Amino acid sequence: MTDPNDAAIGDAAELVDQLRELAGADPADVRQVVSEVLAALDRAAGGALREHLPEAIRAGLDGADPARL
């Protein structure tokens, strides 16, 4: 049986690899996409995600462009 923590760590590592690949093109674009995704997740969670994120990331959510989603 697979440990759920191991699966989550593997998924996170895969996501990091994908973001690094995207960042090669333009890191600013990747930051914007990540901010937009986190903003969408926060909206879907009724604002509950925001309170669990560091201040620097919360500040970025306010500048996310929902029109690009």
Side-chain angles (χ1 to χ4, degrees), residues 38 41-59 61:
L38 288 173
L41 290 171
D42 184 55
R43 285 191 302 275
L49 175 64
R50 179 179 299 257
E51 63 193 47
H52 298 284
L53 298 172
E55 179 60 35
I57 294 175
R58 285 195 304 260
L61 295 182

Side-chain angles (χ1 to χ4, degrees), residues 12-53:
E14 182 179 336
L15 178 58
V16 167
D17 288 342
Q18 291 172 355
L19 289 172
R20 282 186 179 141
E21 187 175 317
L22 284 171
D26 187 347
D29 284 346
V30 174
R31 282 187 201 95
Q32 182 64 32
V33 168
V34 170
S35 291
E36 291 172 6
V37 168
L38 288 173
L41 290 171
D42 184 55
R43 285 191 302 275
L49 175 64
R50 179 179 299 257
E51 63 193 47
H52 298 284
L53 298 172

